[in-house]
Amino acid sequence: MTDLILQALFSGVLIGGVYALVALGLALAFGAMRIINLAHGELVLLAAYMAYLVESRTGLDPYWAIPLALVVVMAVSWALFVLVDKIKDHRELNSLILTFAIGIILTNAILLIFASDMRSTSSAFLQDAVSFGDLFAMRGEIIAFVLSVVLMGVLWWWLKSSWYGRAVRAVSSNRNAARLMGINPARIETVSFLVAGALASFAGVALYTMSVVQPATGHALTVKAFIITVLAGVGSIPGVFLGAVLLGVTEALTVTLASSALQELAGMVLFLLVLFLLPNGLFGARARRG
Amino acid sequence: MLETRNLTSGYGAITVLWDVNLTFREGALTAIVGPNGAGKTTLLRTLTGLLPYQGEILMGGQPLKGKTWDLAAQGLVMVPEGRLVFRDMTVEENLCLGAYPERCRADLATNIERMYAFFPRLKERRHQLAGSLSGGEAQMVAMGRGLMAKPRILLIDEPSLGLAPVIVNEVFDIIRKLKEEGTTIVLIEQNTRIALSVADDLHLMRSGKVILSEKAAGIDLDRLHDLYFAREGVKEEAAQ
């Protein structure tokens, strides 16, 4: 029994890395533009299907799909930005409706093109088991986790040390002050949507290599990203990572101890518990933005 | 250096500024004083491109063009009141962002050290979040951040607002030092006494009009206060 629980914890941490990437994309767009992109999970889904497309058509390892996924998903993310930017009144509310609808369109487009079957990688290399003492993982899971952590490091560095990254944080922090510092907010919003699209591309390909995807996965991912953001706030990358791992572990334990049918429910229960018991999120007021 | 000609602006149908003609001399500190509702903030918002206007704004003889962020890049830099710092970024990151316009980025590290020499207190707090600073320190961050943008003109909005008197003195010592270094400064202030003590030129605004423009050295504080509060018997003088 202990073995099973440890194994579940391990798997939960591994999937948590990808969840964190998804949530960080959502948080970036939210920070810069103050809108919740309900189609963000579908962007990730789109990238996953690009990986499936490349693997099934060419027989290459799905990671070769990253350039294609980057181009397609960043283009869609940019188009999303242009549409959201056209909303002049009540942007917070209207953007929810707009992005929700775009998410449905994307899901159905994928359903139409790729059918509703579950897809996962057929690469023997990625599916090989790797053991760490008593714990096992697919090689794909390990690679996806390492990739996620590296990308989080890159994102952290970018936000901290590049001019565009600093400007994204400045616009998130105080839009008017940012304008006075010579920052054009519209350009920074575009940049943050493009970076969110890039993160979604990597997350989607990684998800395909370690897990199973189907057209409904996109919506589930948006919900997960939203739960993580509420758990952790949008202020810190380590916070989002911890929130994502917590969600991953909760889901994995539910699958091990109860049933895989309850996986999505477990995240929601965690979400409600945190809202009731720690209304400021896991990390208190500090992670909240003023 | 900076000049407005028949500047009229406001919010939609409501006109706040009426035919404002002002000249800000290079290397001088020009104070704009006036009671609440005089249009000081509207003037500042117009100068920094946040409001549409009629009339002309000239910088170095050329009409000002572009949005707020373009103006900052051209050297028209505003120091907003201290509440407008980036609260969830550190003091050093705030300073760094002041240098966002491309022409300011080259000698970033040297410039930040220069700011620390100017504001030693900020050096102690360099890794602290700006949101955790006291009002006076936040004001210093806002000023340091503005200076990082290598301003040709520095517009400072109500630096005394909400600060304890002793901190106000500290902030104005710094403004005095900036002026001695030759920075062209436009100071918006409600506190006439302290504004008069640092200013070269002074303009008094009331109800969206400039009613007094003089060298600060020749202004008598009592007379200024009479005009400021529009006391009986001086209204006619103001109208002339």
Side-chain angles (χ1 to χ4, degrees):
Chain A
M1 193 63 196
T2 327
D3 285 1
L4 277 176
I5 291 177
L6 278 176
Q7 180 62 44
L9 288 174
F10 184 55
S11 307
V13 170
L14 292 178
I15 189 86
V18 175
Y19 286 175
L21 280 191
V22 181
L24 284 169
L26 189 82
L28 255 186
F30 175 75
M33 215 172 174
R34 296 284 147 194
I35 67 128
I36 297 167
N37 178 7
L38 289 178
H40 188 70
E42 277 78 7
L43 295 181
V44 179
L45 183 73
L46 197 57
Y49 273 90
M50 291 303 117
Y52 165 68
L53 183 72
V54 167
E55 189 184 47
S56 59
R57 289 295 156 88
T58 66
L60 289 169
D61 262 359
Y63 275 105
W64 289 101
I66 285 176
L68 175 69
L70 279 172
V71 170
V72 172
V73 175
M74 283 169 84
V76 174
S77 186
W78 180 77
L80 247 166
F81 163 76
V82 171
L83 288 173
V84 171
D85 194 45
K86 286 208 185 304
I87 303 175
K88 293 299 172 218
D89 298 319
H90 309 289
R91 195 155 80 173
E92 281 87 356
L93 191 61
N94 287 334
S95 63
L96 285 177
I97 301 167
L98 177 67
T99 56
F100 187 66
I102 292 171
I104 293 175
I105 293 171
L106 284 174
T107 297
N108 283 287
I110 285 169
L111 187 63
L112 212 62
I113 299 169
F114 296 100
S116 64
D117 305 81
M118 294 197 175
R119 310 285 183 187
S120 66
T121 182
S122 53
S123 152
F125 174 76
L126 291 170
Q127 286 181 316
D128 262 357
V130 195
S131 68
F132 301 86
D134 293 337
L135 301 173
F136 288 92
M138 266 168 34
R139 192 177 279 131
E141 286 180 285
I142 302 292
I143 294 174
F145 180 76
V146 171
L147 176 75
S148 303
V149 172
V150 168
L151 279 173
M152 273 181 261
V154 172
L155 181 69
W156 183 83
W157 176 87
W158 183 75
L159 286 171
K160 193 97 186 155
S161 307
S162 76
W163 285 104
Y164 268 133
R166 286 175 189 147
V168 167
R169 294 171 59 212
V171 171
S172 309
S173 175
N174 191 322
R175 177 176 278 266
N176 272 331
R179 278 200 189 99
L180 291 171
M181 296 302 103
I183 296 168
N184 176 351
R187 180 185 293 182
I188 295 310
E189 286 165 354
T190 316
V191 169
S192 62
F193 265 75
L194 288 177
V195 174
L199 289 174
S201 310
F202 285 106
V205 175
L207 190 71
Y208 176 73
T209 61
M210 70 183 297
S211 179
V212 182
V213 297
Q214 54 175 326
T217 305
H219 181 66
L221 284 172
T222 306
V223 173
K224 287 188 216 296
F226 192 72
I227 293 174
I228 292 164
T229 309
V230 173
L231 292 185
V234 293
S236 94
I237 294 178
V240 168
F241 182 48
L242 282 179
V245 165
L246 186 65
L247 178 63
V249 165
T250 308
E251 287 184 358
L253 283 176
T254 310
V255 172
T256 303
L257 300 178
S259 146
S260 61
L262 298 175
Q263 182 182 344
E264 305 297 329
L265 182 67
M268 285 300 182
V269 171
L270 175 70
F271 176 69
L272 286 179
L273 279 179
V274 171
L275 278 187
F276 277 119
L277 302 176
L278 301 163
N280 285 326
L282 289 176
F283 310 104
R286 231 189 93 248
R288 282 270 162 124
R289 280 168 181 273
Chain B
M1 186 72 204
L2 187 69
E3 209 180 320
T4 70
R5 286 188 192 154
N6 302 324
L7 188 67
T8 296
S9 103
Y11 307 87
I14 304 158
T15 304
V16 178
L17 296 183
W18 301 88
D19 283 328
V20 170
N21 290 292
L22 289 168
T23 307
F24 306 102
R25 291 185 294 135
E26 179 145 23
L29 193 157
T30 308
I32 296 175
V33 298
N36 275 334
K40 305 188 299 292
T41 304
T42 307
L43 175 65
L44 210 62
R45 290 172 64 91
T46 309
L47 287 176
T48 48
L50 293 168
L51 291 177
Y53 61 88
Q54 284 125 41
E56 279 184 295
I57 304 175
L58 305 171
M59 185 158 74
Q62 298 296 315
L64 267 187
K65 281 206 188 78
K67 305 266 191 190
T68 304
W69 47 89
D70 302 316
L71 299 182
Q74 289 164 40
L76 183 76
V77 175
M78 175 159 133
V79 176
E81 45 163 334
R83 280 190 299 121
L84 280 186
V85 295
F86 300 115
R87 296 176 59 83
D88 39 19
M89 300 177 81
T90 65
V91 167
E92 189 148 308
E93 286 169 339
N94 266 274
L95 292 179
C96 206
L97 273 162
Y100 186 81
E102 266 169 46
R103 69 190 165 83
C104 311
R105 294 182 186 177
D107 37 10
L108 187 65
T110 332
N111 265 333
I112 287 183
E113 281 312 314
R114 218 168 57 94
M115 288 311 129
Y116 287 148
F118 224 88
F119 307 96
R121 195 107 63 87
L122 295 188
K123 184 160 191 173
E124 294 164 28
R125 308 215 180 279
R126 64 201 292 178
H127 297 305
Q128 213 166 307
L129 291 183
S132 69
L133 299 178
S134 71
E137 289 162 347
Q139 187 63 50
M140 288 177 197
V141 169
M143 287 193 346
R145 194 180 58 179
L147 290 171
M148 290 293 291
K150 302 187 178 168
R152 290 169 67 198
I153 302 177
L154 194 64
L155 308 171
I156 308 178
D157 186 17
E158 305 247 11
S160 71
L161 196 74
L163 299 184
V166 71
I167 310 290
V168 171
N169 286 337
E170 211 173 312
V171 168
F172 273 83
D173 283 342
I174 291 163
I175 293 178
R176 220 166 266 128
K177 235 162 85 185
L178 284 176
K179 174 184 154 184
E180 279 159 19
E181 285 196 346
T183 316
T184 307
I185 299 174
V186 177
L187 173 70
I188 308 283
E189 190 46 80
Q190 281 202 30
N191 182 336
T192 46
R193 186 184 302 272
I194 200 154
L196 200 55
S197 77
V198 293
D200 296 308
D201 302 339
L202 186 134
H203 302 288
L204 174 65
M205 288 184 74
R206 278 183 50 87
S207 317
K209 295 190 173 93
V210 179
I211 59 169
L212 177 83
S213 294
E214 273 181 37
K215 292 261 183 269
I219 294 177
D220 173 53
L221 193 61
D222 287 337
R223 189 173 137 249
L224 183 63
H225 280 169
D226 285 341
L227 288 170
Y228 189 103
F229 296 112
R231 289 179 189 141
E232 281 307 308
V234 291
K235 272 184 178 159
E236 293 75 16
E237 187 190 349
Q240 282 163 16

